[in-house]
Amino acid sequence: MITCRRVELRKSKPVAQCGRMRWNAQASLGGLPRTFWILCGGMLVNRAGSFVLIFLSVYLTQSRGFSITTAGMIVALYGAGGMLASLAGGFFADHIGRRATMLGALTLGGLGIIGLGFARDLRVIAPMVFAVAFFGEAYRPAMQAAVSDLVPAENRVRAFGILYWAINVGFSIGAILGGALAQSSFLWLFIGDGVTTLLFAFLIARAVPETRPTPASHAAGSARRGVLHDLLAPYLDGPFGAFVLLAVLTMLVFLQHVSTLPIDMSAHGVQRTSLGAVLAINGIVIVLLQPFLAPYLQRWNRSYVLAVGASLIGLGFGLYALARTPVGYGVGVLIWTLGEICVLPISNAVVGDIAPSHMRGRYQGAYGLSFGFSGLCAPLVGTFVLQHFGGHTLWWSCLAVGVIAAVGHLLLAPALTRLREERIAQRATSG
């Protein structure tokens, strides 16, 4: 009898564990439509080849011989292009459709990236970087609006978490491959990036239908009010404007990883291959943790999770004031990656919840503007501070800005929560 009970216990434990694993998998991955998974696959392919932005500042300083300040200005042009792309992409996603906007932007962006790899003169590189950002980033509001179209509010944190997981699977692959390619030839970075972007466009052309809700009377009202009103409406929508401002503060810190962080690491003797491996920690941590954390994070008040995330991002970059080795930089990446998991998918879900159905593209574009504006300012400010005041000042400032953004999210929490609940209730009543 004792032996039998031991056998039963040995059998029941694996069975129970398998049951829990199936439940966790269902909770993380189940109940989402096929088109959503196609978009995830396309983003994975696209990000696996997204080499250029990671190594752009290193390419400009080491291969083209530009100064740190000049490189910062060129990277800032990418941010300027991305800023306008968010507005244009959101506008066109609502007016001509999600699918058409993604197709046009990805095709032109992919061709532009390949062309940029053959540019040599500053007078050619600078405008091409702006154009590549404008065309290459305009697909994002349309894609995020499509996810909001496809996924109901109760599953959006999970859906955007999975999408971000797929993006970072690609990022972890791309950072490692990019480091190896950059060691031999920077040109292959541009070719690989452009080809994978075109592959994403091909996948959308073949397998992604239009998801935009049928235009209603809202469209006629928008036409009467004009394009400018369409573009500005999200910023005038109560606490949503403050939410975007806090996103800008957080992104000013977060986007240092594509401008000043590679320069700082190189200045401390970190080789290109090690640089790619350190940045790949970001994608690896997200791959391992994002699917399991998303079901738990969606249970908490969105603003509280955003506050924790902003604090962790500030702390991770603040640690670079002390880091000198790949291990030290890697610990910083680990910390700010945990903050990233709390901030980016949650923010996209907040935008999807708040945006009226006929304006999802514009609201996602308004939120995306925080990336573009920060992408413009972060390299300008970051490289200026790094060159004139040193790394200590830059990284301690990042810590301070992260804490300020966290406090702002806590103060905004009551108003943002009310607006979100009101919009969800309105859609439930009208639908």
Side-chain angles (χ1 to χ4, degrees):
M1 295 293 292
I2 294 175
T3 303
C4 290
R5 279 196 296 270
R6 285 179 179 171
V7 171
E8 288 170 2
L9 285 172
R10 288 174 183 165
K11 289 182 178 179
S12 64
K13 186 175 181 180
V15 169
Q17 288 176 341
C18 289
R20 283 195 297 271
M21 290 174 63
R22 284 195 297 269
W23 185 88
N24 288 334
Q26 179 65 25
S28 299
L29 306 176
L32 298 171
R34 176 178 177 272
T35 302
F36 167 79
W37 291 111
I38 293 171
L39 289 172
C40 282
M43 282 301 300
L44 191 153
V45 171
N46 187 33
R47 290 294 289 177
S50 295
F51 311 127
V52 169
L53 188 56
I54 300 174
F55 291 93
L56 184 57
S57 59
V58 176
Y59 165 74
L60 294 170
T61 54
Q62 295 186 9
S63 181
R64 299 273 68 84
F66 300 139
S67 68
I68 292 176
T69 302
T70 301
M73 293 177 66
I74 295 174
V75 176
L77 286 173
Y78 193 99
M83 182 170 61
L84 294 179
S86 294
L87 295 175
F91 178 85
F92 285 116
D94 286 338
H95 287 80
I96 68 172
R98 321 319 193 194
R99 184 175 184 272
T101 302
M102 288 189 284
L103 277 175
L106 289 167
T107 301
L108 293 173
L111 294 174
I113 292 170
I114 294 173
L116 180 60
F118 294 93
R120 295 293 179 267
D121 190 89
L122 175 62
R123 292 169 295 182
V124 178
I125 291 174
M128 284 196 71
V129 166
F130 176 87
V132 162
F134 178 79
F135 291 114
E137 298 294 330
Y139 79 94
R140 291 184 184 273
M143 183 194 65
Q144 292 158 351
V147 173
S148 296
D149 295 336
L150 293 164
V151 180
E154 62 270 17
N155 288 327
R156 282 193 189 124
V157 168
R158 187 162 58 89
F160 279 111
I162 293 169
L163 181 64
Y164 207 69
W165 177 83
I167 289 171
N168 282 276
V169 170
F171 178 85
S172 62
I173 297 170
I176 295 173
L177 290 178
L181 289 172
Q183 194 71 29
S184 60
S185 171
F186 278 111
L187 177 60
W188 285 108
L189 296 178
F190 294 90
I191 295 175
D193 198 328
V195 169
T196 53
T197 301
L198 293 173
L199 284 175
F200 189 15
F202 177 77
L203 183 62
I204 290 172
R206 293 297 301 270
V208 175
E210 180 57 60
T211 66
R212 181 177 56 148
T214 303
S217 58
H218 303 292
S222 295
R224 286 194 298 269
R225 289 190 293 267
V227 173
L228 183 61
H229 182 276
D230 274 0
L231 295 175
L232 295 180
Y235 302 103
L236 305 177
D237 189 10
F240 184 77
F243 167 79
V244 173
L245 177 61
L246 294 174
V248 168
L249 292 179
T250 306
M251 289 301 105
L252 283 173
V253 178
F254 177 71
L255 290 178
Q256 295 301 321
H257 80 278
V258 297
S259 55
T260 53
L261 179 56
I263 295 173
D264 189 59
M265 292 174 67
S266 296
H268 287 102
V270 179
Q271 298 298 312
R272 293 176 192 169
T273 50
S274 298
L275 190 156
V278 168
L279 292 178
I281 293 172
N282 171 258
I284 293 169
V285 170
I286 291 176
V287 169
L288 294 176
L289 295 183
Q290 179 76 62
F292 304 101
L293 288 179
Y296 296 98
L297 292 178
Q298 69 182 2
R299 300 176 185 177
W300 297 88
N301 183 286
R302 309 282 204 253
S303 294
Y304 297 158
V305 178
L306 292 172
V308 171
S311 299
L312 289 172
I313 289 174
L315 178 61
F317 282 93
L319 183 64
Y320 296 142
L322 308 174
R324 294 295 179 270
T325 65
V327 173
Y329 285 107
V331 172
V333 172
L334 173 63
I335 294 172
W336 58 255
T337 298
L338 294 174
E340 180 185 359
I341 290 172
C342 293
V343 168
L344 296 186
I346 296 291
S347 295
N348 280 316
V350 168
V351 179
D353 293 344
I354 289 175
S357 299
H358 66 290
M359 295 183 68
R360 281 178 177 147
R362 279 162 281 176
Y363 271 70
Q364 291 289 356
Y367 170 65
L369 186 64
S370 65
F371 285 83
F373 182 76
S374 301
L376 170 64
C377 295
L380 290 176
V381 175
T383 53
F384 178 85
V385 173
L386 182 62
Q387 183 165 339
H388 292 89
F389 300 98
H392 278 83
T393 301
L394 173 64
W395 302 126
W396 289 127
S397 299
C398 287
L399 174 60
V401 173
V403 171
I404 291 170
V407 172
H409 279 298
L410 293 176
L411 295 176
L412 186 64
L416 192 68
T417 301
R418 282 196 301 270
L419 179 61
R420 174 181 173 272
E421 291 174 348
E422 288 172 3
R423 292 291 162 78
I424 292 174
Q426 288 172 3
R427 283 196 293 271
T429 302
S430 61

